[in-house]
Amino acid sequence: MNQHDQYTHTQQHDQQQQEHQPQQPQHRHQHTAPKRLRSCIVCGISASKCDLVRIVRTPEGSLLLDTSGKKPGRGAYVCSHSCFEQALRSSKLQRALKTQISQDELKALFMQVQSVFIDKR
């Protein structure tokens, strides 16, 4: 057997061993998972949390604008100022948050949300 044949034989042997070795299991945390999308309660458009505005009903029952997206409570997402206004007119916000919203709370929330959408422009 000459040197070239011996080298080729070694390569073939290595390939056969690799084919018979079990593959390493894929770890779940090896790849980053895709970000979950949220949807606007009015138009249904899906987007990431950072592209939507979250309104939250806290466990105590108060309504807040959640700019961090991490406040505890039941949340509802809107994508634009017009969707927010429509959510108020059609009671979709109340339905999504499973609560009644007083006129004073609506006015306060409206001012907060309006300033956020102005800042996003």
Side-chain angles (χ1 to χ4, degrees), residues 42-76:
V42 176
C43 66
I45 191 168
S46 294
S48 66
K49 285 172 68 171
C50 62
D51 294 329
L52 300 171
V53 173
R54 182 175 188 243
I55 300 149
V56 65
R57 177 180 48 92
T58 64
E60 295 80 31
S62 60
L63 293 178
L64 300 172
L65 182 65
D66 184 9
T67 54
S68 68
K70 297 179 181 183
K71 291 185 179 172
R74 184 167 189 87

Side-chain angles (χ1 to χ4, degrees), residues 7-17:
Y7 178 75
T8 306
H9 178 71
T10 305
Q11 278 184 328
Q12 289 173 348
H13 179 50
D14 289 345
Q15 276 181 337
Q16 287 174 351
Q17 280 187 335

Side-chain angles (χ1 to χ4, degrees), residues 1-53:
M1 196 183 274
N2 66 25
Q3 228 178 7
H4 181 313
D5 289 341
Q6 188 177 8
Y7 178 75
T8 306
H9 178 71
T10 305
Q11 278 184 328
Q12 289 173 348
H13 179 50
D14 289 345
Q15 276 181 337
Q16 287 174 351
Q17 280 187 335
Q18 286 176 356
E19 289 172 3
H20 293 357
Q21 288 180 354
Q23 290 185 346
Q24 297 293 327
Q26 293 284 334
H27 295 288
R28 287 190 297 165
H29 303 290
Q30 188 173 6
H31 301 286
T32 58
K35 293 193 177 211
R36 289 182 51 205
L37 299 177
R38 306 295 192 265
S39 25
C40 175
I41 60 170
V42 176
C43 66
I45 191 168
S46 294
S48 66
K49 285 172 68 171
C50 62
D51 294 329
L52 300 171
V53 173

